[in-house]
Amino acid sequence: MSNRLWEKSLERLESELSEQQLSTWIRPLQAVEEDDTLRLLAPNRFVLDWIRSHFYSKIQASVREIAGDPGLQLVLEVGSQKRPRPRATSPERPAPRAAAPGPAPASSPAPARPPRGPAVEEPEEGVQHNLNPSFTFATYVEGKSNQIARAASMQVADHPGAGYNPLFIYGGVGLGKTHLMHAAGNRILEHDPGARVIYLHSERFVAEMIRALQHNAIDQFKAFYRSVNALLIDDIQFFAGKERSQEEFFHTFNALMEEGQQIIMTCDRYPKEIEGLEERLKSRFGWGLTVAIEPPELETRVAILQSKAEQNQVDLPSEVAFFIAKRIRSNIRELEGALKRVMAQARFTGQPIITLDFAKEALKDLIALQDKLVTIENIQKTVADYYKIRVSDLLSARRSRSITRPRQLAMALAKEMTSHSLPEIGNAFGGRDHTTVLHACRKIDELRESDNRIGEDYANLLRTLSN
Amino acid sequence: MQAAGQQLPLEIGLREEQDLEGFVAGDNAFALATVREMALGAGEQQVFLWGPAGAGKSHLLQGACLAASRRGEQTAHLPLARLADLGAGVLEGLEAMSLVCVDDVDAIAGRRVWEEGLFGLVNRVRDAGGRLIFAAGCPPGDLGIGLPDLVSRLGWGPVFRVAPLDDAHKLEALAQRARARGLELPAEVGSYLIRRYPRDPRALFDLLERLDTASMAAQRRLTVPFVKSVLES
């Protein structure tokens, strides 16, 4: 089936419509040519309605004229058709997946005609899964910040449904939760290639459930999710405040647990702290094992950069890796973004070796922004706000626990996030000695390990200050 | 959303001015090179461009759509400032696109439903192996987006600042547009326009449009006195 007619019509429309109209409304359309019909598939109802009310007659006139067939039917529908993507791939990019998870009437194969039936997704040959094959344990860089979560995920993958169920992984954005989850899924498949492993984002679960309700397909929806061997569901904080979805997930959860099927969840916080989530879900989420991923410390950030550079076959000198890792502390995703910026610039300029000066130049906009944001004053203010105390308390001589702990945290953050020396930091905290700062840094390091509360406070503050 | 229809007469027939070849890079060579690669289906999976209005971000996004579309790919350009009055449902189903260009990300910052919608779109497009180009007035962290998950995803690929053109490059861009119209723009007329009239390239290009029409109607070449008489009338 060629799309020559539509291609030619697009060329014609280029002389009749603005590029803005074309690129927003017309270019997203997918054409399916049949004998006496041109079927145009719109990605959603908004586009469909807009086309219908603004461009329908223009499009119809164009296609009829080009086809030389005044009787040609033009049909508009919501839907999409699978097609090979004419694109190059880079080694790190996930390959296009086999199938969307779930009953997913949204991206249905073949022109979907409203009212669309449920579960139009044909079962793929073999067992369908939608894991990213490049997210494995081998490509996951281990550090102090994630070693427990990694070990737990591996354990679960080796004995799915048998031990820790559910596995609940929590931590801030961009710390590698999704990677770990896919790694566990891939390992489950390695052991048992026939297992039905489904990964999906909770936002997707919500959207699919709503669609299933609209299409009277809720039974198929239920049946689908209750038939899997492992359900990997990402960012469950997106269930907050969505009661019907919680209800549905609650039943799915129970059904899978009863059957001894594995559930892995990720979240940006500890289950009990998810506001707008039903108590019964919160308590169930804590039934198995709950593990945290902390923001990676400097050495791990460096190792992550080097591993990513290696995956891209780029030689990254360690001084450059340290330079980037010291400046991008917030999360791995942004670390990756910065590295990509440097690698892209090296490629475009034909730079054979990434030197420190080159990296500084490539990242100068980014660094200027970061340096502008994080000052000792800024840290003091943020910490004081966080603990609901005054900045003047931090600088004072007061030694009560409620003040000293935040003061030590603020000092440790100043050491981690700014390039000020210990004496300078001491000075900025009411003229304290540099040994006091050193002591504070060591104390906080120690407490982050032994005291969950401090660990979390530190992570939260680091995140706030880094964003 | 009315605007989409109203701009119609201005932009017809200027396709060559909106493609990537017609983009005068100035200091933005890396941003242009990245976008061009992505339009060809190679290079990065996503990129974030930020810079002031008039720096050429929308040109890059539309140019990428045009180029990819000519290779037979499905693409979508989403000017969120114009679409924000529609529901976030306009983001549904776009994972079927090979290339999605999200313009004016600023427009939805702080709007929870849109932020979640965009977050979902990024996940779906990436999962489907599609490419994403974002544009906004400032970098991801400064947009005032409430959803940290979205902020971090916007910064997943390289982030480029798109700097406005300096006068010399503006002159080059103006001359290039004039050439594309078959209009001869003497250097002194170009300099005159840049000195005396709005510095925003888009406004300059609109001026050029008026001059083109006037010179055709009057059968006159572009000279400083003629330009003066047209623009002051």
Side-chain angles (χ1 to χ4, degrees), chain A residues 298 301-306 309 314-343 354-356 358-363 366-367 370 416:
Chain A
L298 181 64
R301 296 201 295 274
V302 169
I304 289 169
L305 284 169
Q306 281 167 336
V314 167
D315 186 25
L316 189 72
S318 68
E319 59 169 356
V320 178
F322 268 95
F323 169 77
I324 301 173
K326 274 198 165 166
R327 271 157 187 84
I328 313 286
R329 308 164 200 96
S330 49
N331 64 59
I332 297 166
R333 217 171 266 134
E334 277 159 43
L335 207 57
E336 200 178 334
L339 177 64
K340 286 193 163 163
R341 177 77 161 81
V342 176
M343 292 191 306
I354 298 174
T355 63
L356 188 55
F358 183 83
K360 279 182 179 165
E361 172 63 22
L363 296 176
L366 204 67
I367 290 161
Q370 295 254 340
E416 162 80 21

Side-chain angles (χ1 to χ4, degrees), chain A residues 29 141 168 206 271:
Chain A
L29 300 174
V141 176
F168 190 99
V206 174

Side-chain angles (χ1 to χ4, degrees), chain A residues 14 83 87 93 333 347, chain B residues 15 37 43 96 131 152:
Chain A
E14 283 189 6
R83 86 221 110 77
R87 56 179 279 88
R93 182 171 303 141
R333 217 171 266 134
R347 195 153 45 85
Chain B
R15 210 65 39 173
E37 271 191 344
R131 288 155 282 151
S152 93

Side-chain angles (χ1 to χ4, degrees), chain B residues 9-132:
Chain B
L10 278 182
E11 298 179 10
I12 288 178
L14 302 180
R15 210 65 39 173
E16 65 284 353
E17 296 180 357
Q18 276 140 355
D19 69 19
L20 293 175
E21 304 315 311
F23 186 84
V24 173
D27 294 331
N28 305 312
F30 295 129
L32 174 62
T34 303
V35 167
R36 187 181 279 146
E37 271 191 344
M38 290 178 73
L40 294 175
E44 307 293 336
Q45 189 170 17
Q46 77 171 60
V47 64
F48 189 102
L49 310 173
W50 64 275
K57 302 186 298 295
S58 298
H59 184 160
L60 285 172
L61 268 55
Q62 287 182 358
C65 285
L66 177 61
S69 169
R70 286 195 171 150
R71 292 173 49 245
E73 292 195 320
Q74 268 175 281
T75 65
H77 174 243
L78 306 169
L80 293 185
R82 292 161 190 268
L83 300 178
D85 293 338
L86 296 176
V90 75
L91 304 176
E92 283 294 318
L94 293 172
E95 60 274 17
M97 306 294 118
S98 304
L99 174 69
V100 178
C101 296
V102 187
D103 212 343
D104 314 317
V105 178
D106 325 55
I108 57 104
R111 297 172 70 172
R112 183 74 189 191
V113 175
W114 274 93
E115 288 186 3
E116 285 194 18
L118 188 53
F119 171 71
L121 177 68
V122 176
N123 291 332
R124 297 195 308 273
V125 171
R126 288 186 62 104
D127 279 352
R131 288 155 282 151
L132 288 152

